[in-house]
Amino acid sequence: MLRMEGVRKDHKHRGGIVRVLDNVDLEIDRGEYVSIVGQSGSGKSTLLLMLGGMLSPTRGRVIMGEDSLYDMSPKDRADLRKNELGFLFQTFNLVPYLTALENVQVPLLLRGVDGPDQARKAAGLLERVSLQDRVDHKPSELSVGQQQRVALARMLANDPPVILADEPTGNLDPETGAQILEFLEETNRQGRTVIMVTHDPVTADRASRKLRLHDGAVVPGERLP
Amino acid sequence: MRLNTIVRRELFERRTQVITSFLAVLLGIAVIVSVKTVSYYSEKAVSRELDALGANVLVLPKSISVQDYYSADMEGSEIPEEYVTRLVMSDLEGLDNLSPKLSVPVEIEGRSFTLTGILPKQEFQAKAMWQGAGIFSRPQGCGVVANIPGLSKPLSKETLVRERVIDDLGEFEALVGADVASLVGIESGEDLTLLGRSFSVIAVLPGTGTVDDSRVFAHLHTVQKLTGKGPVLNAIEVVGCCVEISQGLVEKINKLLPEAEVVTIGQIIETQINTNQMMRRLSGVFLLIIAVVGSVSIANYMFANVFERRREIGTLVALGARPSFVMNVFLLKAAVLGVVGGIGGYLLGTLLAVTLGPKLAGIPVLPIPSLAAWGVGISVAIAMAGSYLPARRASRIDPFDALQEV
């Protein structure tokens, strides 16, 4: 379903070139729960954003279904992100001046859902993450765990078949982190593909497959029990 | 939720940052509106003053020069009074006041003066055939000032020399120039014998330093009758609109009255046209400066705003926002700033003009409602122009870079 073919990514840095990903070949099937681990700077986040259609490779192809992401127009790629992908970030990336409800409404707005349906669906999602009494709170009025749950609700708003999570528990205490992972596992059980970047081995071990990145290259994966 | 919810919330959330650029737009528009308002009324006031200087077009007999006219040396040269009818009934645009005159020499107590017959304004209006010709419905922008409180004064017979037209003049009534009055020792209310008939002096005109000071004015038809000349004139003084004059009004009158000499009094027209141009250029310079300063200020704010919100933009892109959506977030914000700044600027500018205009320019100033739409339009244009590049930059932000930064 998601495939990388001979992907290389170079960054220019102070006149020189830094190779972030080097000849990566990767295939992730529909419904898989994959964790990507590696040291800081190993290229984990680069790989994730590239799978999300937000960073073009210097060489190689990234394929989703039948479509080569970076052969698509930016507009089509934006539509694909809107309809097929859900992102979960370490720092939540909630819009600071919008309420919890409005933050969850953003993907629905982008999809052209009308106002009342947006509000109804967003309220339902917040209830699902147990934040029904925080709908009118702005991110600054929520705890970090609550903020990540709002981000989780926002991610699910468009019912994406693929979820890309970048260190989703990195800023959370163990208990809240565990809650978030349970949510992710639940969405995986519902048939969604989950690809999660983490540097925490315990978190990584909860996935069904673990990929290790080392100096921009994928170390042969291990399938977890 | 709609796009405008995002814009509105962000504006309120960061209102202290918005306020500087909003003030730049508001003050800019306020300055433009106040300058335009004051200059509009200044232009009108100047036009009115120039209008009061008298005719700017003269219709004379072929053999007469402007110098002859001003030296009142026009003996024996006449044009038919019917020319006035031709002018009034023509479809020429830009004709304002018409003042037909017949001047003849008279002796008063052994001294030589000029008796000038004039046609009162009321007689123009009384003629059924001239009704609806619109000759006295003074067109806009033609040295014409609408009734501005404090500026328009009721016409008196003493204003003849300045206004060139009076409302009413009886058959045997006369107006006496300042020099005539002092040399002959006559005052208002006394009788004066002219061409063998007694005239009642209804006013002594204030001195002007012109040939008019040594004239006596009476009704045109009385002068025609007493001299036995019939329906003839020496001259028709015309107050023409400067714009129309510059667009060939004189040539059109020449065509209409080929047997007459049509001349312009160049200085008056030139002064009025120059004044109007100067006012327009002044407004134009202000507009240009403010447009540049306003746009730069808005651009500066927007670039900073885009930089500050790059993470938010990266998130929107990750959620599937197209570049056009991101661009619209910033352009809509600019439009809101423009509309609010434009309305506020119009109100503030009008308030400044109305309160300071009379003190600084010495003229009464009233609000010009049409400037509201104009102010908002300019304001939105300035805000949009200043925001276009920042908005485009926002739509091209690399989400990878934006999301990698913490």
Side-chain angles (χ1 to χ4, degrees), chain A residues 79 81 91 93 97 102, chain B residues 1 9 311-312 317 322:
Chain A
D79 289 346
R81 281 195 297 272
T91 50
N93 289 351
Y97 48 83
E102 288 166 341
Chain B
M1 189 173 71
R9 288 291 167 84
R311 195 169 187 82
E312 177 193 326
V317 171
R322 291 179 178 178

Side-chain angles (χ1 to χ4, degrees), chain B residues 52-354:
Chain B
L53 288 178
N56 47 24
V57 178
L58 293 174
V59 179
L60 302 170
K62 274 280 186 207
S63 56
I64 296 294
S65 67
V66 178
Q67 285 74 18
D68 295 334
Y69 171 75
Y70 278 108
S71 61
D73 182 15
M74 296 186 292
E75 184 64 20
S77 301
E78 280 116 19
I79 52 175
E81 191 181 344
E82 181 259 339
Y83 282 11
V84 179
T85 312
R86 275 204 234 172
L87 283 171
V88 172
M89 296 306 294
S90 73
D91 57 358
L92 290 181
E93 287 180 9
L95 286 178
D96 201 346
N97 285 326
L98 294 183
S99 182
K101 291 186 172 170
L102 173 64
S103 295
V104 292
V106 286
E107 275 205 4
I108 307 171
E109 296 181 4
R111 293 172 185 270
S112 291
F113 297 104
T114 302
L115 172 64
T116 299
I118 57 172
L119 196 60
K121 187 171 170 180
Q122 215 171 53
E123 292 202 17
F124 272 90
Q125 291 165 330
K127 284 185 189 276
M129 64 187 293
W130 294 352
Q131 290 285 327
I135 200 78
F136 290 111
S137 57
R138 308 172 76 188
Q140 287 296 316
C142 175
V144 173
V145 182
N147 285 330
I148 303 167
L151 192 63
S152 301
K153 296 170 194 156
L155 287 174
S156 71
K157 291 184 177 178
E158 291 191 346
T159 61
L160 169 69
V161 175
R162 284 178 62 76
E163 301 292 341
R164 297 278 151 178
V165 177
I166 61 168
D167 278 347
D168 190 16
L169 187 64
E171 189 180 1
F172 290 104
E173 289 178 339
L175 296 154
V176 177
D179 288 351
V180 180
S182 77
L183 289 169
V184 178
I186 199 160
E187 289 180 4
S188 176
E190 293 180 358
D191 285 341
L192 179 66
T193 302
L194 297 165
L195 302 172
R197 287 298 300 262
S198 178
F199 285 75
S200 168
V201 177
I202 57 170
V204 173
L205 302 170
T208 60
T210 69
V211 70
D212 286 345
D213 291 348
S214 56
R215 289 189 195 219
V216 177
F217 295 90
H219 195 292
L220 173 67
H221 294 157
T222 308
V223 176
Q224 286 171 340
K225 199 158 65 183
L226 292 177
T227 55
K229 286 177 181 284
V232 293
L233 309 167
N234 291 130
I236 305 169
E237 291 183 350
V238 181
V239 178
C241 302
C242 291
V243 176
E244 274 76 9
I245 289 172
S246 67
Q247 290 168 354
L249 177 65
V250 171
E251 289 74 18
K252 288 175 190 166
I253 298 176
N254 251 327
K255 219 170 170 181
L256 186 73
L257 307 172
E259 309 85 0
E261 183 77 33
V262 185
V263 294
T264 56
I265 302 173
Q267 276 178 326
I268 292 179
I269 294 161
E270 231 170 78
T271 305
Q272 188 157 0
I273 288 173
N274 287 345
T275 306
N276 294 352
Q277 276 178 350
M278 192 186 73
M279 296 286 191
R280 261 178 234 122
R281 280 183 195 146
L282 188 69
S283 294
V285 167
F286 267 103
L287 180 60
L288 189 69
I289 292 171
I290 282 159
V292 170
V293 171
S295 294
V296 168
S297 170
I298 289 274
N300 184 40
Y301 162 70
M302 282 293 188
F303 273 123
N305 191 237
V306 168
F307 183 76
E308 187 184 13
R309 295 170 70 185
R310 62 201 184 283
R311 195 169 187 82
E312 177 193 326
I313 294 164
T315 305
L316 285 173
V317 171
L319 294 174
R322 291 179 178 178
S324 58
F325 180 91
V326 175
M327 197 159 174
N328 287 342
V329 167
F330 288 91
L331 291 182
L332 182 61
K333 180 175 174 174
V336 170
L337 275 177
V339 170
V340 178
I343 293 170
Y346 168 75
L347 294 175
L348 181 63
T350 300
L351 186 70
L352 286 173
V354 170

Side-chain angles (χ1 to χ4, degrees), chain A residues 4 7-10 18-24 42-44 46-48 50 55 213 215-218:
Chain A
M4 282 182 152
V7 166
R8 195 172 87 191
K9 182 65 186 177
D10 295 334
V18 178
R19 184 147 301 166
V20 186
L21 293 177
D22 188 13
N23 201 28
V24 174
S42 60
K44 304 186 297 287
T46 301
L47 186 140
L48 195 77
M50 202 174 275
L55 182 69
L213 273 177
D215 287 342
V218 177

